[in-house]
mmCIF file of all heavy atoms in Angstrom:
data_model
loop_
_atom_site.group_PDB
_atom_site.id
_atom_site.type_symbol
_atom_site.label_atom_id
_atom_site.label_comp_id
_atom_site.label_asym_id
_atom_site.label_seq_id
_atom_site.Cartn_x
_atom_site.Cartn_y
_atom_site.Cartn_z
ATOM 1 N N SER J 515 -1.764 -17.853 8.234
ATOM 2 C CA SER J 515 -2.152 -19.134 8.844
ATOM 3 C C SER J 515 -1.327 -19.360 10.114
ATOM 4 O O SER J 515 -0.929 -20.463 10.442
ATOM 5 C CB SER J 515 -1.906 -20.295 7.876
ATOM 6 O OG SER J 515 -0.560 -20.330 7.410
ATOM 7 N N SER J 516 -1.067 -18.283 10.839
ATOM 8 C CA SER J 516 -0.164 -18.312 11.978
ATOM 9 C C SER J 516 -0.808 -18.790 13.275
ATOM 10 O O SER J 516 -0.162 -19.394 14.119
ATOM 11 C CB SER J 516 0.418 -16.912 12.235
ATOM 12 O OG SER J 516 1.313 -16.531 11.226
ATOM 13 N N LEU J 517 -2.109 -18.525 13.423
ATOM 14 C CA LEU J 517 -2.717 -18.685 14.746
ATOM 15 C C LEU J 517 -3.878 -19.675 14.753
ATOM 16 O O LEU J 517 -4.751 -19.640 13.887
ATOM 17 C CB LEU J 517 -3.219 -17.334 15.263
ATOM 18 C CG LEU J 517 -2.141 -16.249 15.438
ATOM 19 C CD1 LEU J 517 -2.778 -14.906 15.700
ATOM 20 C CD2 LEU J 517 -1.205 -16.631 16.566
ATOM 21 N N SER J 518 -3.875 -20.540 15.739
ATOM 22 C CA SER J 518 -4.984 -21.467 15.962
ATOM 23 C C SER J 518 -5.904 -20.889 17.041
ATOM 24 O O SER J 518 -5.507 -19.993 17.804
ATOM 25 C CB SER J 518 -4.467 -22.829 16.418
ATOM 26 O OG SER J 518 -3.636 -23.411 15.435
ATOM 27 N N GLY J 519 -7.116 -21.401 17.098
ATOM 28 C CA GLY J 519 -8.054 -20.974 18.135
ATOM 29 C C GLY J 519 -8.338 -22.088 19.132
ATOM 30 O O GLY J 519 -8.338 -23.264 18.778
ATOM 31 N N ASN J 520 -8.586 -21.703 20.357
ATOM 32 C CA ASN J 520 -8.841 -22.691 21.407
ATOM 33 C C ASN J 520 -9.735 -22.057 22.462
ATOM 34 O O ASN J 520 -9.408 -20.995 22.996
ATOM 35 C CB ASN J 520 -7.520 -23.161 22.010
ATOM 36 C CG ASN J 520 -7.703 -24.374 22.895
ATOM 37 O OD1 ASN J 520 -8.815 -24.747 23.256
ATOM 38 N ND2 ASN J 520 -6.590 -25.005 23.266
ATOM 39 N N LEU J 521 -10.854 -22.694 22.770
ATOM 40 C CA LEU J 521 -11.756 -22.175 23.797
ATOM 41 C C LEU J 521 -11.336 -22.586 25.198
ATOM 42 O O LEU J 521 -11.716 -21.948 26.179
ATOM 43 C CB LEU J 521 -13.181 -22.632 23.511
ATOM 44 C CG LEU J 521 -13.874 -21.998 22.304
ATOM 45 C CD1 LEU J 521 -15.223 -22.675 22.068
ATOM 46 C CD2 LEU J 521 -14.056 -20.490 22.506
ATOM 47 N N ILE J 522 -10.579 -23.680 25.299
ATOM 48 C CA ILE J 522 -10.151 -24.141 26.619
ATOM 49 C C ILE J 522 -8.660 -23.856 26.749
ATOM 50 O O ILE J 522 -7.792 -24.677 26.444
ATOM 51 C CB ILE J 522 -10.433 -25.658 26.783
ATOM 52 C CG1 ILE J 522 -11.911 -25.950 26.500
ATOM 53 C CG2 ILE J 522 -10.066 -26.109 28.190
ATOM 54 C CD1 ILE J 522 -12.234 -27.419 26.503
ATOM 55 N N THR J 523 -8.373 -22.660 27.176
ATOM 56 C CA THR J 523 -6.977 -22.238 27.251
ATOM 57 C C THR J 523 -6.853 -21.002 28.141
ATOM 58 O O THR J 523 -7.854 -20.296 28.391
ATOM 59 C CB THR J 523 -6.452 -21.888 25.839
ATOM 60 O OG1 THR J 523 -5.078 -21.460 25.938
ATOM 61 C CG2 THR J 523 -7.267 -20.762 25.230
ATOM 62 N N THR J 524 -5.655 -20.769 28.619
ATOM 63 C CA THR J 524 -5.378 -19.522 29.345
ATOM 64 C C THR J 524 -4.702 -18.513 28.439
ATOM 65 O O THR J 524 -4.419 -17.392 28.874
ATOM 66 C CB THR J 524 -4.454 -19.822 30.550
ATOM 67 O OG1 THR J 524 -3.250 -20.436 30.077
ATOM 68 C CG2 THR J 524 -5.138 -20.720 31.560
ATOM 69 N N ASN J 525 -4.476 -18.906 27.181
ATOM 70 C CA ASN J 525 -3.875 -18.002 26.204
ATOM 71 C C ASN J 525 -4.964 -17.102 25.629
ATOM 72 O O ASN J 525 -5.850 -17.558 24.899
ATOM 73 C CB ASN J 525 -3.199 -18.823 25.103
ATOM 74 C CG ASN J 525 -2.434 -17.955 24.116
ATOM 75 O OD1 ASN J 525 -2.959 -16.979 23.609
ATOM 76 N ND2 ASN J 525 -1.193 -18.321 23.850
ATOM 77 N N VAL J 526 -4.890 -15.833 25.959
ATOM 78 C CA VAL J 526 -5.944 -14.893 25.543
ATOM 79 C C VAL J 526 -6.037 -14.807 24.022
ATOM 80 O O VAL J 526 -7.147 -14.741 23.460
ATOM 81 C CB VAL J 526 -5.676 -13.508 26.151
ATOM 82 C CG1 VAL J 526 -6.678 -12.484 25.618
ATOM 83 C CG2 VAL J 526 -5.719 -13.554 27.661
ATOM 84 N N GLU J 527 -4.893 -14.834 23.347
ATOM 85 C CA GLU J 527 -4.893 -14.714 21.895
ATOM 86 C C GLU J 527 -5.596 -15.913 21.240
ATOM 87 O O GLU J 527 -6.360 -15.736 20.289
ATOM 88 C CB GLU J 527 -3.463 -14.593 21.377
ATOM 89 C CG GLU J 527 -3.367 -14.150 19.944
ATOM 90 C CD GLU J 527 -1.978 -13.706 19.566
ATOM 91 O OE1 GLU J 527 -1.002 -14.413 19.901
ATOM 92 O OE2 GLU J 527 -1.841 -12.635 18.943
ATOM 93 N N GLU J 528 -5.352 -17.097 21.727
ATOM 94 C CA GLU J 528 -6.006 -18.283 21.204
ATOM 95 C C GLU J 528 -7.507 -18.226 21.477
ATOM 96 O O GLU J 528 -8.323 -18.670 20.644
ATOM 97 C CB GLU J 528 -5.412 -19.542 21.808
ATOM 98 C CG GLU J 528 -4.008 -19.878 21.329
ATOM 99 C CD GLU J 528 -3.515 -21.188 21.912
ATOM 100 O OE1 GLU J 528 -4.243 -21.803 22.747
ATOM 101 O OE2 GLU J 528 -2.404 -21.623 21.534
ATOM 102 N N LEU J 529 -7.870 -17.694 22.624
ATOM 103 C CA LEU J 529 -9.291 -17.589 22.973
ATOM 104 C C LEU J 529 -10.004 -16.586 22.056
ATOM 105 O O LEU J 529 -11.113 -16.873 21.564
ATOM 106 C CB LEU J 529 -9.410 -17.126 24.434
ATOM 107 C CG LEU J 529 -10.827 -17.068 25.014
ATOM 108 C CD1 LEU J 529 -11.502 -18.433 24.961
ATOM 109 C CD2 LEU J 529 -10.800 -16.534 26.438
ATOM 110 N N ILE J 530 -9.360 -15.459 21.779
ATOM 111 C CA ILE J 530 -9.939 -14.464 20.871
ATOM 112 C C ILE J 530 -10.082 -15.061 19.475
ATOM 113 O O ILE J 530 -11.103 -14.864 18.794
ATOM 114 C CB ILE J 530 -9.080 -13.189 20.840
ATOM 115 C CG1 ILE J 530 -9.151 -12.468 22.189
ATOM 116 C CG2 ILE J 530 -9.555 -12.267 19.718
ATOM 117 C CD1 ILE J 530 -8.217 -11.283 22.295
ATOM 118 N N ALA J 531 -9.054 -15.785 19.032
ATOM 119 C CA ALA J 531 -9.100 -16.402 17.709
ATOM 120 C C ALA J 531 -10.254 -17.398 17.612
ATOM 121 O O ALA J 531 -10.990 -17.441 16.635
ATOM 122 C CB ALA J 531 -7.771 -17.109 17.418
ATOM 123 N N ALA J 532 -10.456 -18.186 18.670
ATOM 124 C CA ALA J 532 -11.517 -19.172 18.676
ATOM 125 C C ALA J 532 -12.890 -18.520 18.569
ATOM 126 O O ALA J 532 -13.781 -18.980 17.843
ATOM 127 C CB ALA J 532 -11.435 -20.036 19.933
ATOM 128 N N THR J 533 -13.087 -17.407 19.311
ATOM 129 C CA THR J 533 -14.385 -16.736 19.294
ATOM 130 C C THR J 533 -14.659 -16.030 17.965
ATOM 131 O O THR J 533 -15.800 -15.694 17.674
ATOM 132 C CB THR J 533 -14.474 -15.718 20.444
ATOM 133 O OG1 THR J 533 -13.418 -14.767 20.326
ATOM 134 C CG2 THR J 533 -14.374 -16.405 21.797
ATOM 135 N N SER J 534 -13.601 -15.848 17.189
ATOM 136 C CA SER J 534 -13.772 -15.274 15.858
ATOM 137 C C SER J 534 -13.953 -16.360 14.809
ATOM 138 O O SER J 534 -14.870 -16.305 13.972
ATOM 139 C CB SER J 534 -12.569 -14.399 15.494
ATOM 140 O OG SER J 534 -12.739 -13.827 14.218
ATOM 141 N N TYR J 535 -13.128 -17.398 14.860
ATOM 142 C CA TYR J 535 -13.189 -18.466 13.862
ATOM 143 C C TYR J 535 -14.483 -19.252 13.933
ATOM 144 O O TYR J 535 -15.090 -19.597 12.893
ATOM 145 C CB TYR J 535 -12.017 -19.444 14.018
ATOM 146 C CG TYR J 535 -10.628 -18.865 13.876
ATOM 147 C CD1 TYR J 535 -9.508 -19.596 14.307
ATOM 148 C CD2 TYR J 535 -10.401 -17.603 13.325
ATOM 149 C CE1 TYR J 535 -8.225 -19.104 14.163
ATOM 150 C CE2 TYR J 535 -9.116 -17.103 13.206
ATOM 151 C CZ TYR J 535 -8.033 -17.861 13.615
ATOM 152 O OH TYR J 535 -6.770 -17.360 13.495
ATOM 153 N N LEU J 536 -14.910 -19.584 15.123
ATOM 154 C CA LEU J 536 -16.050 -20.469 15.291
ATOM 155 C C LEU J 536 -17.321 -19.928 14.618
ATOM 156 O O LEU J 536 -17.999 -20.672 13.875
ATOM 157 C CB LEU J 536 -16.295 -20.758 16.785
ATOM 158 C CG LEU J 536 -17.431 -21.733 17.121
ATOM 159 C CD1 LEU J 536 -17.172 -23.090 16.465
ATOM 160 C CD2 LEU J 536 -17.586 -21.882 18.624
ATOM 161 N N PRO J 537 -17.718 -18.679 14.858
ATOM 162 C CA PRO J 537 -18.927 -18.190 14.172
ATOM 163 C C PRO J 537 -18.762 -18.128 12.645
ATOM 164 O O PRO J 537 -19.747 -18.279 11.924
ATOM 165 C CB PRO J 537 -19.104 -16.785 14.761
ATOM 166 C CG PRO J 537 -18.318 -16.760 16.023
ATOM 167 C CD PRO J 537 -17.153 -17.672 15.785
ATOM 168 N N LEU J 538 -17.520 -17.917 12.182
ATOM 169 C CA LEU J 538 -17.306 -17.711 10.754
ATOM 170 C C LEU J 538 -17.302 -19.014 9.955
ATOM 171 O O LEU J 538 -17.741 -19.041 8.804
ATOM 172 C CB LEU J 538 -15.989 -16.951 10.530
ATOM 173 C CG LEU J 538 -15.983 -15.487 10.967
ATOM 174 C CD1 LEU J 538 -14.583 -14.900 10.836
ATOM 175 C CD2 LEU J 538 -16.968 -14.673 10.154
ATOM 176 N N VAL J 539 -16.751 -20.084 10.524
ATOM 177 C CA VAL J 539 -16.680 -21.346 9.782
ATOM 178 C C VAL J 539 -17.418 -22.483 10.457
ATOM 179 O O VAL J 539 -17.546 -23.576 9.889
ATOM 180 C CB VAL J 539 -15.199 -21.753 9.542
ATOM 181 C CG1 VAL J 539 -14.494 -20.743 8.675
ATOM 182 C CG2 VAL J 539 -14.446 -21.949 10.861
ATOM 183 N N GLY J 540 -17.902 -22.271 11.694
ATOM 184 C CA GLY J 540 -18.716 -23.271 12.364
ATOM 185 C C GLY J 540 -17.958 -24.396 13.018
ATOM 186 O O GLY J 540 -18.577 -25.387 13.436
ATOM 187 N N ARG J 541 -16.659 -24.259 13.159
ATOM 188 C CA ARG J 541 -15.897 -25.345 13.785
ATOM 189 C C ARG J 541 -14.556 -24.804 14.260
ATOM 190 O O ARG J 541 -14.114 -23.716 13.859
ATOM 191 C CB ARG J 541 -15.670 -26.494 12.805
ATOM 192 C CG ARG J 541 -14.674 -26.215 11.717
ATOM 193 C CD ARG J 541 -14.543 -27.353 10.714
ATOM 194 N NE ARG J 541 -13.340 -27.222 9.921
ATOM 195 C CZ ARG J 541 -13.189 -26.392 8.905
ATOM 196 N NH1 ARG J 541 -14.188 -25.594 8.562
ATOM 197 N NH2 ARG J 541 -12.061 -26.350 8.224
ATOM 198 N N LEU J 542 -13.896 -25.606 15.143
ATOM 199 C CA LEU J 542 -12.530 -25.347 15.578
ATOM 200 C C LEU J 542 -11.764 -26.652 15.436
ATOM 201 O O LEU J 542 -12.325 -27.715 15.294
ATOM 202 C CB LEU J 542 -12.502 -24.869 17.037
ATOM 203 C CG LEU J 542 -13.098 -23.509 17.337
ATOM 204 C CD1 LEU J 542 -13.088 -23.263 18.856
ATOM 205 C CD2 LEU J 542 -12.320 -22.402 16.642
ATOM 206 N N GLY J 543 -10.457 -26.529 15.437
ATOM 207 C CA GLY J 543 -9.619 -27.722 15.320
ATOM 208 C C GLY J 543 -8.245 -27.355 14.812
ATOM 209 O O GLY J 543 -7.968 -26.188 14.500
ATOM 210 N N ALA J 544 -7.394 -28.371 14.710
ATOM 211 C CA ALA J 544 -6.014 -28.139 14.284
ATOM 212 C C ALA J 544 -5.949 -27.622 12.860
ATOM 213 O O ALA J 544 -4.970 -26.970 12.477
ATOM 214 C CB ALA J 544 -5.214 -29.429 14.415
ATOM 215 N N ASP J 545 -6.981 -27.904 12.070
ATOM 216 C CA ASP J 545 -6.971 -27.460 10.667
ATOM 217 C C ASP J 545 -7.535 -26.053 10.492
ATOM 218 O O ASP J 545 -7.547 -25.539 9.364
ATOM 219 C CB ASP J 545 -7.772 -28.450 9.810
ATOM 220 C CG ASP J 545 -9.242 -28.489 10.211
ATOM 221 O OD1 ASP J 545 -9.529 -28.357 11.429
ATOM 222 O OD2 ASP J 545 -10.104 -28.667 9.323
ATOM 223 N N VAL J 546 -8.030 -25.442 11.550
ATOM 224 C CA VAL J 546 -8.582 -24.093 11.457
ATOM 225 C C VAL J 546 -7.568 -23.101 12.006
ATOM 226 O O VAL J 546 -7.377 -22.999 13.209
ATOM 227 C CB VAL J 546 -9.921 -23.979 12.232
ATOM 228 C CG1 VAL J 546 -10.481 -22.565 12.085
ATOM 229 C CG2 VAL J 546 -10.916 -25.010 11.721
ATOM 230 N N LYS J 547 -6.937 -22.421 11.094
ATOM 231 C CA LYS J 547 -5.949 -21.399 11.476
ATOM 232 C C LYS J 547 -6.276 -20.106 10.772
ATOM 233 O O LYS J 547 -7.140 -20.037 9.901
ATOM 234 C CB LYS J 547 -4.545 -21.887 11.114
ATOM 235 C CG LYS J 547 -4.090 -23.102 11.880
ATOM 236 C CD LYS J 547 -2.649 -23.465 11.557
ATOM 237 C CE LYS J 547 -2.186 -24.662 12.357
ATOM 238 N NZ LYS J 547 -0.773 -25.019 12.050
ATOM 239 N N GLY J 548 -5.578 -19.061 11.158
ATOM 240 C CA GLY J 548 -5.826 -17.756 10.550
ATOM 241 C C GLY J 548 -4.937 -16.685 11.135
ATOM 242 O O GLY J 548 -3.874 -16.980 11.688
ATOM 243 N N ASP J 549 -5.400 -15.455 11.037
ATOM 244 C CA ASP J 549 -4.617 -14.325 11.571
ATOM 245 C C ASP J 549 -5.114 -13.841 12.932
ATOM 246 O O ASP J 549 -4.770 -12.779 13.397
ATOM 247 C CB ASP J 549 -4.608 -13.159 10.564
ATOM 248 C CG ASP J 549 -5.999 -12.597 10.276
ATOM 249 O OD1 ASP J 549 -6.957 -12.913 11.025
ATOM 250 O OD2 ASP J 549 -6.141 -11.837 9.296
ATOM 251 N N GLY J 550 -5.931 -14.692 13.564
ATOM 252 C CA GLY J 550 -6.476 -14.342 14.857
ATOM 253 C C GLY J 550 -7.892 -13.776 14.777
ATOM 254 O O GLY J 550 -8.622 -13.761 15.755
ATOM 255 N N ILE J 551 -8.273 -13.336 13.569
ATOM 256 C CA ILE J 551 -9.617 -12.810 13.337
ATOM 257 C C ILE J 551 -10.272 -13.521 12.145
ATOM 258 O O ILE J 551 -11.383 -14.014 12.233
ATOM 259 C CB ILE J 551 -9.598 -11.291 13.091
ATOM 260 C CG1 ILE J 551 -9.043 -10.556 14.296
ATOM 261 C CG2 ILE J 551 -10.990 -10.776 12.729
ATOM 262 C CD1 ILE J 551 -9.912 -10.643 15.543
ATOM 263 N N VAL J 552 -9.540 -13.587 11.036
ATOM 264 C CA VAL J 552 -10.086 -14.190 9.806
ATOM 265 C C VAL J 552 -9.431 -15.552 9.561
ATOM 266 O O VAL J 552 -8.194 -15.620 9.453
ATOM 267 C CB VAL J 552 -9.826 -13.278 8.597
ATOM 268 C CG1 VAL J 552 -10.278 -13.954 7.313
ATOM 269 C CG2 VAL J 552 -10.577 -11.957 8.795
ATOM 270 N N PRO J 553 -10.214 -16.620 9.483
ATOM 271 C CA PRO J 553 -9.659 -17.947 9.189
ATOM 272 C C PRO J 553 -9.025 -17.969 7.813
ATOM 273 O O PRO J 553 -9.541 -17.347 6.873
ATOM 274 C CB PRO J 553 -10.871 -18.868 9.259
ATOM 275 C CG PRO J 553 -11.909 -18.118 10.027
ATOM 276 C CD PRO J 553 -11.671 -16.682 9.717
ATOM 277 N N THR J 554 -7.937 -18.710 7.689
ATOM 278 C CA THR J 554 -7.213 -18.797 6.413
ATOM 279 C C THR J 554 -8.115 -19.246 5.272
ATOM 280 O O THR J 554 -8.024 -18.727 4.154
ATOM 281 C CB THR J 554 -6.039 -19.771 6.538
ATOM 282 O OG1 THR J 554 -5.259 -19.432 7.688
ATOM 283 C CG2 THR J 554 -5.152 -19.733 5.310
ATOM 284 N N GLU J 555 -8.995 -20.206 5.533
ATOM 285 C CA GLU J 555 -9.802 -20.756 4.444
ATOM 286 C C GLU J 555 -10.799 -19.760 3.851
ATOM 287 O O GLU J 555 -11.339 -20.014 2.772
ATOM 288 C CB GLU J 555 -10.550 -21.992 4.935
ATOM 289 C CG GLU J 555 -11.516 -21.749 6.081
ATOM 290 C CD GLU J 555 -11.986 -23.050 6.718
ATOM 291 O OE1 GLU J 555 -11.248 -23.599 7.565
ATOM 292 O OE2 GLU J 555 -13.069 -23.517 6.356
ATOM 293 N N LEU J 556 -11.025 -18.647 4.528
ATOM 294 C CA LEU J 556 -11.944 -17.624 4.010
ATOM 295 C C LEU J 556 -11.219 -16.475 3.340
ATOM 296 O O LEU J 556 -11.859 -15.606 2.729
ATOM 297 C CB LEU J 556 -12.799 -17.059 5.131
ATOM 298 C CG LEU J 556 -13.635 -18.037 5.969
ATOM 299 C CD1 LEU J 556 -14.523 -17.264 6.940
ATOM 300 C CD2 LEU J 556 -14.468 -18.954 5.083
ATOM 301 N N ALA J 557 -9.889 -16.448 3.424
ATOM 302 C CA ALA J 557 -9.118 -15.269 3.028
ATOM 303 C C ALA J 557 -8.754 -15.213 1.554
ATOM 304 O O ALA J 557 -8.070 -14.271 1.128
ATOM 305 C CB ALA J 557 -7.843 -15.186 3.864
ATOM 306 N N PHE J 558 -9.225 -16.182 0.754
ATOM 307 C CA PHE J 558 -8.787 -16.233 -0.629
ATOM 308 C C PHE J 558 -9.963 -16.360 -1.593
ATOM 309 O O PHE J 558 -10.932 -17.082 -1.323
ATOM 310 C CB PHE J 558 -7.829 -17.415 -0.830
ATOM 311 C CG PHE J 558 -6.655 -17.378 0.092
ATOM 312 C CD1 PHE J 558 -6.630 -18.206 1.211
ATOM 313 C CD2 PHE J 558 -5.603 -16.499 -0.108
ATOM 314 C CE1 PHE J 558 -5.543 -18.150 2.102
ATOM 315 C CE2 PHE J 558 -4.521 -16.448 0.754
ATOM 316 C CZ PHE J 558 -4.490 -17.275 1.869
#
Side-chain angles (χ1 to χ4, degrees):
S515 57
S516 290
L517 299 169
S518 299
N520 192 347
L521 289 174
I522 306 174
T523 180
T524 57
N525 185 310
V526 175
E527 193 166 47
E528 288 184 356
L529 184 60
I530 293 174
T533 58
S534 181
Y535 300 165
L536 183 59
L538 291 173
V539 296
R541 72 184 196 283
L542 293 175
D545 63 325
V546 181
K547 295 184 178 181
D549 61 14
I551 298 294
V552 175
T554 308
E555 61 193 82
L556 304 185
F558 305 102

